[in-house]
Amino acid sequence: MGTVPSNPSWNPLMPNTEFISTGFHVPERVVTNNDLAEFWETSDEWIQERCGIQTRHWTERGGETGSDLGLKAAQSALERADMDPSELDCIVYATLSPEHFFPGGGVFLQKKLGLTGIPALDVRNQCSGFLYGLSVVDAWIRSGQYRRVLLVGAEVQSPALEYDYPEGRNIGVLFGDGAGAAILGPAEESDRGVLGTNLFSDGRFAEHLWVEGAGMRRYPWVSHEDLENRKLYPRMEGREVFKHAVNRMPEALSALMEEHGVKAEDIDLLIAHQANLRINEMVARRLKLRDDQVYNNIQRYGNTTAASIPIALDECARSGRLNRGDLLALTAFGSGFTWASALVRW
Ligand code: UT7
C-alpha cells in the first residue's frame, strides 16, 4: 500500500464512492484464432503477435443479448455483495453494441432484474463507457442522490462482424462479447474509494472508428444501398487509433496521478482497457510501471469494449490480485475519440 493522501475534498456529507462488489459473465462459446482463420485470411501467429489475443468468447448467433450478459454479471456482483436487486436505486449501462436502436439496454437489464421505477441511464462512450459511467456514478453518490448504483459494461459485438468479407478481419479478430458489473456506494472511510476521475473526447476523430449507418443523419435511415455498401459494420483506421491510444491513456492517467500526488511506484495495479496487448505494454512503459503492477486478460477475452475494465476488475478482485487498501489505476481509450482514467483506493 502506498502513501498517497486521501481525497483532499472529502467531507462526511459528500463521501467517497467505493466498489461494494463486482461480477462478470462471458458467453460459453470460445473462439480461437484458428477458428477465425477458417473464414478470414489471418493466422494465430499474426493475431498473437499484433494484438496478444489467443481466444475470445462469442454468443451463439441469435443467442444472448447484451442485457442477458449484463444480467448474469449483475447477479454475480449482487450475490457477492449479499444484496437483493431491490436494494439498487440506479442502473448505469454502458455499451457500443445496443440491442435496439432505442430504447437503450439499461431498461432491458432493469426489466430482467425485476425492477421498476429506478432510473436506468445509458452511456454511449464506447471503450471509455465504463469510466465515463464511473465518473457519473461517483458524482451522484458523493452528492447523496443515489446510494446503491449498478454500473454495467455489456457488449455483444459478434453479430456486427463481417465473416463473409475479407476486410472483416481488420476489426473481427479483435472483438469479443462479454459483460462486467460493479455495485457502488458511499464509503465509510475518507481514504478509500474513487479518489478521482478525468474524462476527455475529441470529435475530430469520430470517423476513425465508427459505424457510418444506419442513423437519423441519413434518409431513409436504413437502406439496401447502405447494406450493400457495408455501412452497417464498424470501420477502424487501426494505425491511427493505435497511435492515439498509446499517447492519450498515459497522458490522462499521468495528469490524474499528478493531481493526487501519486507516483508510479505507489500504484499497486493498473487495468487499462483491453484493446491490444501491444498498446497496453506501451502504456505501462510510458507510465514507468513494472509488469507486476499491470493486469491484462485480452489474451482470453479479446477486446470487449465497455466490458473490458469491469471483467478484469472482477478477475483481480476474486483472485486476490486486488486487495483492500490497494491503489488501483484505470484508463481507457476508444471510438469518439474518447478517453478517461480513474484512481481508486480499493
Ligand atoms: O478498442 C477500441 C480501440 N481500438 C484499438 O485500440 C485498436 C488499435 N489498432 C490496433 O490495435 C492495430 O492497428 C491492429 C491490431 C488493428 C492492426 O495491427 P497493425 O500492426 O496496425 O496492422 P496494419 O493494419 O498496419 O496491417 C499490417 C499488415 C497489412 O498487410 P500489408 O499491407 O503489410 O501486406 C494488413 O493487410 O497486416 C495485414 N492485416 C492482417 N493480416 C492478418 C491486417 N489485419 C490482419 C489480420 N490478419 N487480421
Side-chain angles (χ1 to χ4, degrees):
M1 181 167 156
T3 52
V4 181
S6 55
N7 189 335
S9 60
W10 190 81
N11 142 2
L13 297 175
M14 293 187 72
N16 288 353
T17 301
E18 73 167 347
F19 282 77
I20 297 169
S21 71
T22 54
F24 87 95
H25 179 76
V26 289
E28 250 176 56
R29 181 159 70 118
V30 177
V31 179
T32 65
N33 295 338
N34 286 329
D35 292 335
L36 303 185
E38 286 177 19
F39 45 85
W40 285 316
E41 201 177 307
T42 190
S43 66
D44 180 46
E45 192 190 1
W46 191 96
I47 299 171
Q48 289 212 43
E49 190 188 308
R50 302 281 176 138
C51 339
I53 300 169
Q54 295 167 12
T55 57
R56 72 287 291 140
H57 293 243
W58 283 354
T59 57
E60 298 297 339
R61 293 186 185 183
E64 289 169 300
T65 66
S67 61
D68 290 333
L69 302 181
L71 174 68
K72 290 194 176 144
Q75 285 169 332
S76 165
L78 285 162
E79 194 182 315
R80 191 148 204 242
D82 197 18
M83 274 174 65
D84 187 79
S86 62
E87 292 173 66
L88 296 172
D89 54 14
C90 181
I91 295 170
V92 179
Y93 185 92
T95 192
L96 73 47
S97 52
E99 53 203 80
H100 294 280
F101 200 81
F102 70 82
V107 293
F108 294 104
L109 174 60
Q110 177 185 33
K111 185 168 86 172
K112 288 171 187 170
L113 283 165
L115 302 174
T116 54
I118 66 166
L121 171 76
D122 279 74
V123 173
R124 293 293 308 277
N125 292 89
Q126 305 72 244
C127 304
S128 310
F130 188 80
L131 295 187
Y132 266 68
L134 180 63
S135 181
V136 172
V137 171
D138 181 39
W140 277 341
I141 287 175
R142 275 177 194 282
S143 74
Q145 185 159 349
Y146 301 111
R147 289 185 58 82
R148 290 287 178 265
V149 184
L150 173 65
L151 172 60
V152 171
E155 305 285 2
V156 173
Q157 313 188 90
S158 53
L161 305 179
E162 298 165 286
Y163 307 101
D164 56 341
Y165 186 60
E167 282 183 24
R169 71 179 185 180
N170 295 348
I171 280 197
V173 301
L174 299 175
F175 280 171
D177 300 336
I183 299 172
L184 297 128
E188 279 170 16
E189 305 100 317
S190 65
D191 57 354
R192 289 194 45 245
V194 177
L195 303 178
T197 59
N198 60 11
L199 309 177
F200 307 89
S201 55
D202 191 338
R204 287 177 301 169
F205 301 99
E207 292 160 20
H208 286 57
L209 175 49
W210 71 331
V211 178
E212 188 175 351
M216 301 309 177
R217 180 180 160 271
R218 307 166 83 78
Y219 195 90
W221 69 278
V222 61
S223 64
H224 289 292
E225 203 187 333
D226 275 356
L227 256 177
E228 276 155 24
N229 293 329
R230 297 188 172 267
K231 302 279 188 205
L232 305 187
Y233 294 98
R235 288 280 172 268
M236 172 171 73
E237 290 174 34
R239 285 190 181 184
E240 192 67 11
V241 177
F242 191 105
K243 213 170 66 193
H244 281 266
V246 297
N247 287 318
R248 301 292 90 81
M249 286 192 278
E251 272 170 23
L253 196 51
S254 299
L256 197 62
M257 286 163 64
E258 197 177 322
E259 194 184 315
H260 288 269
V262 170
K263 298 196 179 58
E265 62 267 27
D266 298 325
I267 289 177
D268 295 295
L269 180 65
L270 166 71
I271 297 176
H273 166 53
Q274 305 287 303
N276 182 328
L277 192 59
R278 279 167 55 222
I279 292 179
N280 288 1
E281 285 166 356
M282 287 179 79
V283 168
R285 259 202 312 278
R286 287 180 180 187
L287 289 164
K288 300 193 171 25
L289 297 177
R290 303 178 309 271
D291 288 353
D292 65 291
Q293 290 173 287
V294 179
Y295 185 77
N296 289 303
N297 61 9
I298 188 171
Q299 298 89 333
R300 285 172 285 130
Y301 302 117
N303 177 352
T304 57
T305 314
S308 84
I309 288 180
I311 290 175
L313 259 185
D314 190 49
E315 284 195 336
C316 290
R318 284 178 201 248
S319 68
R321 176 65 189 80
L322 181 60
N323 297 298
R324 197 178 168 95
D326 281 353
L327 185 62
L328 168 70
L330 303 171
T331 188
F333 177 87
S335 161
F337 293 148
T338 59
W339 63 104
S341 69
L343 282 171
V344 181
R345 177 69 72 192
W346 196 254

